[in-house]
């Protein structure tokens, strides 16, 4: 087995090509061809698609998470033994994958294993549990987990900015490099067991956000899903992260990205739009992002709970005994329950303050209402956790001293770990469950509470309930947690508003019994039909749907380090070789050359839009060749183009996407189609003006034949929304006019029907044929959607071309296109055109002596 690791993280993060080292063989790889182990170098992996058929028939899911779903124990003799962690979500989701799906887990162990024992432990876990442990050195793990994950990502994703060193800490690049390094180790572990053409890979949570890039770099067609279990912040928060683009691009190397709520998905899509310039579409109920020819699907579905596990614990005799004990302890009291981690984002102190306010505003509740707050040990560590603990203890002490009396403590704080059955017992006796987190990815406490309140016959007997009476429950939940949207019967609160939370607590206790029963029934139906198995099954189905065309695609991998991405293109799409086109150019006699100006002859986004002297010189050289007919095709107006290219006397120009055309500088401008009038402008321009006034950064470009509303410099989200509204508005008011309304890259354009760049190409080829200049060489270069019409026209106009014509339709950049060739940028285009111009000059020089010799012969 060859395991690859970056020898220098600085190489990775700087984008330089890495060097690789080799490690000792540990596990056999699954062979992609019988008897042959696949061993590829990363340098060649960009184009590797694992085309060899796999020997594995059964579908297999590789689940990758920060921690394996295992518990580790030491025997008295010092040997390790392991058991499944029944509370782990990664283990629970297996129920939804079906018995025919084999599951392999990759992750870390909670306990530190001595290096001398790691090989034996790893083999045991693989053989017994189908688990592959990733052993991370303690120092590296501390920087990765307690450093980057818990000091940077976790606070930021929960809307906490590092405004000072005390608030999460400033960005530390060494912690980022540790994060990347650990993700690379996880990638190596996946490599050890994966059969890339057969296996599905499901990566979980923010600890492994760059893992998709390492896996996609190794296997271009890998079927890969990612689910984020934390919130995803708004773009205003996320954009403060120095490595924001790296994380976004890494996630986009997945085929399917899952979120708990639409808000989280919306924030992610907004970040992709604002920072990467990507747009998304919703088609037949599915949201997709177009990314270099791949469609990255977005999944929105909150996770559920494991019903079977919960019901098993409900049936335990220990649960029944604990319920009886708690009933005696809180007899005559109404119990409000909070179950939270000791975390700065769980809002425990806000909940306690609301309880204090409830007792102040409603003295009749004193002695009758008790808040039981279960505080689970914090998962992280640091100053903020200690501060929460100190504040919680102080608040509880103050409330109990103020409102407590003998036999009554208004707040019962339980800050020691509870057994699961003990927690369930508290759910059963609680009249209302309070979840006041200020930000939480999901939070399944309300779901557990609802199922427990449904109970069973034995527990009904213990609680003194009539089994035939409908069950009841009440929830007060923060509107900032992931489960809130699915709990429509809960009382939603802003946890920062202490008075509102206190009143919600009072309202929850005052709700009529019948309404409590209705709310409970509504929630119970939802929870039992949306459990963890349903969530996993739904994700698997969507992942298979998103990947169903993988094996039919041709993929290319480009980029270094975390900038790596896969491009899906037509199999015949390739880079245009200068030698190839110059050779064809020299062989041919009737050449048609069509060049887009914006983006092809000029750098896109450049402030200076006028052509440089180099471009003008190249155009003149091409035009001076009598075998060439050169046309510049642009969306700009004819006045501007005339001014810019006045020195190119033989250059043909098509302005305003081909509405105005002239064959050379001395020719008159012609129109491609007849338009009786432009009265429609009087309708369209006031509408555009309205949207310009209300959309800061937008402008109107008035052309002779068209009107263009441009929102390139407006807020991306608002501009996009306004463009959709404007498009609908214009289509409505111009329904009876002979115009077309179209949206493009940051524009909405109104122009006469039938006008497009393809019309210019068709007319040029037909005109050359009529003049007995049947084109045997056609070069067409463009960079955007409007140029696709030209590509389509020349590729479908074979009747207007020589039977041996050589056609070069070329787009700018590697992207899906009707063109068969591409060049990377404007610099490469000018270099290629210069090559053609040089060929023309050489041909002219070689022809001059021959012409002189012919003249001398005639004089004799």
């Amino acid at each position: 087995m060859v395991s690859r690791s970056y020898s220098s993280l600085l190489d990775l993060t700087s984008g330089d090509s890495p060097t690789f080292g080799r490690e000792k063989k540990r596990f056999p790889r699954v062979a992609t061809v019988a008897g042959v182990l696949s061993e590829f170098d990363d340098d060649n992996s960009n184009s590797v698609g694992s085309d060899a058929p796999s020997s594995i028939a059964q579908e297999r899911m590789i689940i990758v998470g920060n921690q394996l779903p295992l518990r580790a124990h030491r025997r008295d003799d010092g040997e390790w033994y392991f058991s499944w962690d029944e509370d782990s979500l990664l283990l629970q989701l297996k129920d939804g994958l079906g018995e025919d799906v084999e599951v392999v887990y990759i992750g870390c162990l909670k306990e530190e294993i001595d290096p001398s024992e790691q090989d034996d432990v790893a083999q045991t876990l693989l053989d017994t549990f189908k688990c592959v442990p990733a052993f991370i050195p303690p120092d590296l793990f501390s920087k990765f987990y307690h450093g980057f994950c818990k000091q940077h990502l976790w606070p930021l994703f929960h809307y906490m900015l590092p405004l000072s060193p005390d608030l999460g800490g400033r960005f530390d690049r060494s912690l980022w490099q540790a994060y990347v390094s650990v993700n690379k180790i996880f990638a190596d572990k996946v490599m050890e067991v994966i059969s890339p053409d057969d296996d599905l890979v499901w990566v979980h949570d923010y600890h492994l956000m760059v893992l998709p890039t390492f896996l996609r770099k190794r296997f271009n067609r890998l079927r890969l899903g990612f689910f984020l279990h934390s919130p995803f912040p708004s773009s205003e928060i996320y954009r403060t992260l120095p490595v924001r683009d790296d994380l976004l691009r890494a996630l986009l190397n997945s085929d399917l990205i899952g979120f708990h709520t639409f808000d989280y998905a919306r924030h992610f899509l907004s970040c992709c739009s604002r920072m990467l310039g990507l747009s998304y579409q919703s088609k037949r109920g599915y949201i997709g992002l177009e990314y270099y020819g791949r469609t990255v699907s977005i999944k929105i579905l909150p996770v559920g709970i494991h019903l079977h596990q919960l019901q098993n614990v409900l049936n335990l005799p220990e649960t029944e005994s604990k319920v009886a004990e708690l009933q005696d302890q809180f007899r005559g009291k109404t119990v409000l329950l909070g179950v939270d981690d000791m975390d700065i984002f769980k809002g425990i102190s806000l909940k306690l303050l609301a309880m204090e306010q409830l007792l102040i505003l409603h003295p009749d509740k004193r002695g009758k209402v008790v808040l039981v707050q279960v505080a689970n040990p914090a998962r992280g560590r640091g100053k903020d956790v200690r501060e929460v603990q100190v504040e919680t203890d102080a608040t509880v002490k103050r409330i109990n001293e103020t409102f407590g009396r003998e036999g009554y403590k208004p707040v019962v704080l339980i800050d020691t770990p509870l057994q699961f059955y003990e927690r369930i017992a508290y759910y059963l006796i609680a009249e209302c469950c309070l979840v006041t987190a200020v930000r939480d990815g999901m939070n399944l406490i309300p779901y557990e509470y609802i199922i427990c309140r449904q109970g069973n016959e034995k527990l009904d007997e213990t609680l003194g309930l009539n089994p035939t009476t409908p069950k009841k429950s009440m929830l007060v939940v923060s509107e900032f947690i992931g489960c809130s949207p699915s709990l429509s019967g809960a009382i939603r609160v802003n946890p920062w508003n202490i008075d509102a939370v206190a009143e919600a607590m009072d309202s929850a206790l005052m709700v009529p019994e019948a309404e409590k029963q209705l709310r409970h029934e509504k929630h119970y139906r939802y929870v039992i039909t949306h459990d963890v198995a349903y969530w996993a099954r739904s994700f698997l189905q969507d992942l298979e749907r998103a990947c169903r065309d993988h094996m039919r695609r041709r993929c290319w991998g480009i980029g270094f380090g975390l900038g790596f991405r896969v491009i899906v293109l037509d199999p015949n799409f390739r880079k245009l070789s200068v030698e190839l086109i110059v050779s064809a150019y020299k062989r041919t006699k009737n050449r048609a050359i069509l060049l887009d100006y914006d983006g092809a002859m000029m750098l896109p986004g450049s402030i200076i839009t006028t052509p440089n002297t180099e471009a003008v010189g190249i155009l003149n050289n091409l035009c001076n060749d009598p075998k060439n007919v050169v046309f510049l095709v642009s969306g700009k107006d004819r006045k501007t183009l005339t001014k810019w290219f006045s020195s190119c006397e033989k250059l043909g120009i098509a302005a305003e996407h081909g509405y105005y055309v002239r064959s050379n500088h001395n020719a008159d401008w012609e129109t491609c189609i007849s338009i009786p009038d432009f009265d429609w402008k009087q309708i369209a321009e006031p509408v555009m003006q309205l949207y310009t006034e209300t959309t800061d950064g937008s402008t109107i470009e008035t052309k002779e034949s068209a009107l263009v509303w441009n929102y390139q410099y407006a807020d991306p989200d608002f501009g996009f929304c306004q463009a959709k509204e404007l498009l609908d508005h214009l289509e409505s008011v111009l329904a009876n006019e002979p115009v077309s309304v179209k949206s493009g890259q940051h524009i909405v354009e109104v122009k006469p029907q039938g006008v497009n760049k393809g019309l210019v190409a068709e007319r040029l080829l037909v005109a050359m044929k009529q003049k007995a200049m049947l084109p045997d060489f056609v070069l067409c270069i463009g960079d955007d959607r409007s140029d696709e019409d030209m590509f389509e026209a020349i590729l479908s106009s074979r009747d207007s071309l020589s039977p041996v014509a050589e056609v070069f339709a070329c787009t700018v950049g590697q992207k899906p296109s009707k063109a068969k060739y591409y060049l990377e940028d404007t610099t490469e285009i000018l270099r290629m055109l210069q090559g053609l111009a040089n060929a023309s000059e050489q041909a002219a020089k070689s022809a001059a002596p021959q012409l002189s010799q012919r003249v001398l012969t005639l004089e004799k």
Side-chain angles (χ1 to χ4, degrees):
M1 168 61 206
V2 175
S3 179
R4 304 163 182 81
S5 300
Y6 283 106
S7 59
S8 171
L9 283 173
L10 292 174
D11 289 344
L12 174 67
T13 53
S14 66
D16 296 331
S17 299
T19 56
F20 298 99
R22 293 182 180 267
E23 295 179 357
K24 185 173 70 173
K25 178 176 177 179
R26 289 186 182 166
F27 301 117
R29 261 191 69 128
V30 176
T32 53
V33 181
V36 179
L37 294 181
S38 299
E39 297 292 358
F40 300 107
D41 291 328
D42 275 25
D43 292 340
N44 300 325
S45 65
N46 288 6
S47 59
V48 170
S50 304
D51 293 322
S54 173
S55 60
I56 303 299
Q58 181 185 14
E59 187 169 47
R60 188 169 66 162
M61 170 78 81
I62 298 175
I63 297 176
V64 191
N66 178 45
Q67 289 188 342
L68 289 171
L70 295 173
R71 299 183 191 274
H73 314 273
R74 277 273 196 193
R75 292 194 181 95
D76 294 338
D77 59 4
E79 292 295 318
W80 286 102
Y81 73 98
F82 302 91
S83 60
W84 288 116
D85 181 359
E86 301 292 342
D87 296 333
S88 172
L89 174 66
L90 300 188
L91 180 63
Q92 295 172 358
L93 66 81
K94 188 176 178 180
D95 288 1
L97 302 181
E99 295 181 358
D100 58 332
V101 178
E102 179 187 357
V103 176
V104 176
Y105 292 102
I106 296 176
C108 297
L109 287 167
K110 296 177 184 178
E111 288 72 18
E112 185 178 337
I113 308 295
D114 188 87
S116 63
E117 302 175 293
Q118 288 179 2
D119 282 352
D120 291 338
V121 167
Q123 194 65 53
T124 299
L125 296 183
L126 182 65
D127 295 340
T128 309
F129 299 96
K130 293 184 180 177
C131 289
V132 179
F135 296 113
I136 313 297
D139 291 345
L140 181 61
F141 184 82
S142 180
K143 288 183 177 181
F144 156 72
Y145 184 76
H146 298 292
F148 193 77
C149 290
K150 286 299 182 181
Q151 287 184 28
H152 293 320
L153 289 183
W154 177 257
L156 188 80
F157 281 20
H158 290 75
Y159 287 72
M160 183 177 174
L161 290 174
L163 299 175
S164 71
D166 293 335
L167 295 173
R170 300 288 165 76
F171 181 79
D172 185 338
R173 188 155 294 275
S174 68
L175 300 183
W176 162 244
Q177 290 171 351
Y179 181 83
V180 173
S181 179
V182 170
N183 275 252
K184 182 65 175 68
I185 292 173
F186 272 81
D188 290 339
K189 292 300 175 183
V190 175
M191 305 299 179
E192 293 179 1
V193 295
I194 193 170
S195 176
D197 292 339
D198 299 290
D199 295 345
L200 294 157
V201 179
W202 188 356
V203 181
H204 288 265
D205 222 4
Y206 65 97
H207 313 91
L208 303 171
M209 290 177 72
V210 299
L211 179 58
T213 289
F214 293 122
L215 297 179
R216 185 67 66 192
K217 179 173 173 29
R218 183 62 182 81
F219 302 113
N220 292 170
R221 292 193 186 91
L222 183 66
R223 297 183 293 170
L224 174 61
F226 181 94
F227 198 96
L228 184 68
H229 294 274
S230 76
F232 195 94
S234 66
S235 60
E236 287 75 17
I237 299 293
Y238 180 78
R239 70 196 312 168
T240 63
L241 188 64
V243 291
R244 61 191 191 184
D245 289 0
D246 293 324
L247 291 179
L248 288 179
R249 292 189 185 280
L251 288 179
L252 290 171
N253 276 318
S254 306
D255 295 299
L256 177 66
I257 306 173
F259 300 92
H260 285 306
T261 71
F262 173 69
D263 275 349
Y264 303 160
R266 177 169 56 86
H267 293 156
F268 173 76
L269 294 170
S270 177
C271 288
C272 290
S273 171
R274 291 171 179 271
M275 293 160 212
L276 303 181
L278 303 177
S279 58
Y280 69 92
Q281 293 181 345
S282 181
K283 187 175 182 181
R284 295 183 179 178
Y286 297 104
I287 299 174
L289 269 168
E290 288 299 321
Y291 187 60
Y292 291 97
R294 294 172 51 244
T295 298
V296 181
S297 297
I298 304 299
K299 174 79 171 175
I300 302 168
L301 185 66
V303 69
I305 59 175
H306 194 274
L307 291 174
H308 185 65
Q309 179 200 21
L310 206 55
Q311 287 162 353
N312 284 343
V313 180
L314 281 170
N315 293 327
L316 291 175
E318 293 93 330
T319 305
E320 190 178 343
S321 301
K322 186 64 178 179
V323 170
E325 177 190 328
L326 294 177
Q327 267 207 306
D328 290 338
Q329 180 181 346
F330 297 106
R331 193 171 301 281
K333 310 288 192 306
T334 300
V335 177
L336 305 177
L337 178 66
V339 179
D340 305 277
D341 292 343
M342 188 65 76
D343 187 295
I344 58 173
F345 300 111
K346 300 303 182 184
I348 294 177
S349 59
L350 296 176
K351 188 187 304 178
L352 295 174
L353 292 175
M355 178 64 181
E356 184 178 38
Q357 190 71 355
L358 174 70
L359 297 176
I360 293 172
L361 297 176
H362 302 278
D364 57 304
K365 298 291 190 294
R366 299 173 189 174
K368 299 178 181 178
V369 176
V370 177
L371 171 62
V372 176
Q373 176 61 55
V374 177
N376 301 318
R379 300 181 189 179
R381 64 188 185 190
K383 181 181 176 182
D384 53 354
V385 174
R386 292 192 296 272
E387 288 177 348
V388 171
Q389 291 172 333
V390 171
E391 182 184 8
T392 299
D393 292 339
T395 307
V396 170
K397 182 179 179 181
R398 184 182 72 244
I399 295 173
N400 286 338
E401 288 178 350
T402 304
F403 301 101
R405 56 176 183 262
E406 187 176 352
Y408 172 67
K409 288 172 62 176
V411 178
V412 177
L413 177 64
I414 303 172
D415 56 2
T416 56
L418 292 179
Q419 296 290 329
F420 194 22
Y421 76 87
E422 293 178 299
R423 192 168 87 211
I424 283 181
Y426 279 104
Y427 288 144
L428 285 160
I429 61 137
E431 189 70 16
C432 176
C433 184
L434 311 172
V435 182
T436 57
V438 296
R439 189 71 59 178
D440 206 348
M442 185 58 196
N443 201 310
L444 296 175
I445 297 299
Y447 290 5
E448 292 180 355
Y449 171 71
I450 290 162
I451 296 299
C452 291
R453 290 289 289 182
Q454 188 69 16
N456 57 40
E457 290 186 5
K458 286 186 177 181
L459 291 171
D460 287 345
E461 185 178 340
T462 304
L463 292 166
L465 299 176
N466 184 348
T468 61
T469 303
K471 301 300 172 17
K472 61 180 180 177
S473 64
M474 282 301 298
L475 286 168
V476 175
V477 299
S478 165
E479 59 193 46
F480 301 119
I481 63 176
C483 65
S484 176
S486 59
L487 298 171
S488 56
I491 300 175
R492 297 192 183 101
V493 294
N494 174 2
W496 300 100
N497 189 336
I498 303 300
D499 292 336
V501 176
E503 288 304 318
M505 293 161 69
D506 182 57
S507 298
L509 299 176
M510 302 299 291
V511 168
E513 296 294 301
E515 186 175 339
K516 290 181 181 179
Q517 293 167 359
L518 288 173
R519 289 175 186 248
H520 172 81
E521 177 61 24
K522 185 176 187 179
H523 290 156
Y524 182 71
R525 283 200 307 269
Y526 176 83
V527 174
I528 62 172
T529 55
H530 293 75
D531 63 349
V532 67
Y534 171 83
W535 171 76
R537 186 164 54 249
S538 179
F539 190 91
L540 175 60
Q541 289 171 353
D542 277 12
L543 179 58
E544 290 177 332
R545 177 191 56 80
C547 303
R548 63 190 171 199
D549 295 330
H550 270 27
M551 300 315 295
R552 294 199 296 268
R553 294 174 175 173
R554 289 292 300 275
C555 303
W556 283 263
I558 63 171
F560 295 102
L562 297 180
F564 177 83
R565 63 265 188 204
V566 167
I567 295 177
V568 178
L569 300 169
D570 186 282
N572 298 318
F573 190 73
R574 60 187 186 274
K575 190 168 184 175
L576 181 56
S577 164
V578 176
E579 292 77 13
L580 172 68
I581 192 170
V582 169
S583 175
Y585 185 83
K586 290 178 178 179
R587 292 194 302 269
T588 51
K589 298 179 179 179
N590 298 317
R591 312 182 189 113
I593 301 175
L594 296 105
L595 306 173
D596 173 45
Y597 179 72
D598 304 287
M601 300 290 289
M602 178 197 75
L603 288 172
S606 174
I607 297 176
I608 302 174
T609 58
T610 55
N612 58 39
T613 53
E614 179 190 6
V616 172
I618 292 172
L619 288 175
N620 267 325
N621 289 338
L622 291 173
C623 292
N624 289 335
D625 190 326
K627 297 178 181 180
N628 295 343
V629 177
V630 184
F631 255 82
L632 192 74
V633 188
S634 174
K636 296 192 178 298
D637 61 88
R638 55 179 174 170
K639 181 179 178 182
T640 300
L641 294 174
T642 299
K643 178 181 177 182
W644 286 354
F645 296 97
S646 58
S647 61
C648 301
E649 296 186 357
K650 298 180 181 179
L651 177 66
I653 297 178
E656 301 189 15
H657 295 299
Y659 179 73
Y660 289 109
V661 181
R662 74 174 188 192
S663 57
N664 57 63
H665 185 70
N666 297 320
D668 294 329
W669 287 98
E670 300 177 2
T671 58
C672 63
I673 57 176
S674 176
I675 304 292
D677 59 61
F678 290 93
D679 292 344
W680 55 266
K681 284 189 176 182
Q682 299 175 14
I683 303 172
E685 192 163 13
V687 176
M688 285 189 174
Q689 190 62 45
L690 173 65
Y691 284 81
T692 304
E693 292 171 358
T694 57
T695 311
D696 188 34
S698 66
T699 57
I700 299 175
E701 182 182 356
T702 303
K703 302 178 181 179
E704 292 182 69
S705 67
L707 289 173
V708 180
W709 187 74
N710 188 309
Y711 62 96
Q712 181 179 359
Y713 301 109
D715 177 90
D717 291 335
F718 184 56
F720 180 73
C721 291
Q722 290 289 81
K724 289 177 67 176
E725 289 292 327
L726 176 60
L727 186 72
D728 292 341
H729 197 158
L730 289 172
E731 285 179 341
S732 175
V733 299
L734 298 172
N736 298 321
E737 301 293 333
V739 295
S740 62
V741 184
K742 292 186 176 181
S743 61
Q745 187 72 10
H746 299 124
I747 65 164
V748 175
E749 183 175 27
V750 185
K751 61 182 180 181
Q753 288 178 350
V755 175
N756 61 67
K757 291 183 179 181
L759 199 59
V760 178
E762 291 174 3
R763 289 187 56 171
L764 173 61
L765 298 180
V766 170
M768 291 181 69
K769 180 181 179 181
Q770 290 173 348
K771 294 179 181 179
M773 296 175 59
L774 198 63
D776 54 6
F777 175 97
V778 180
L779 170 63
C780 181
I781 301 178
D783 78 312
D784 64 14
R785 187 185 303 175
S786 64
D787 300 308
E788 295 296 316
D789 294 326
M790 279 200 298
F791 300 148
E792 186 176 14
I794 64 171
L795 294 173
S796 60
S797 300
R798 304 303 300 187
D799 293 342
S800 301
L801 302 178
S802 166
V804 294
E806 307 209 40
V807 179
F808 299 91
C810 179
T811 189
V812 183
Q814 300 183 50
K815 60 192 176 190
S817 172
K818 294 172 183 173
K820 301 300 181 185
Y821 298 92
Y822 73 90
L823 289 171
E824 292 288 0
D825 51 32
T826 303
T827 303
E828 288 195 355
I829 292 172
L830 292 177
R831 188 183 302 125
M832 182 270 294
L833 293 176
Q834 183 65 63
L836 301 184
N838 291 342
S840 289
E841 288 182 356
Q842 292 172 4
K845 288 177 182 178
S846 61
Q850 296 177 11
L851 180 60
S852 299
Q853 184 66 37
R854 288 179 59 191
V855 172
L856 289 172
T857 303
L858 288 172
E859 287 177 350
K860 290 179 181 178

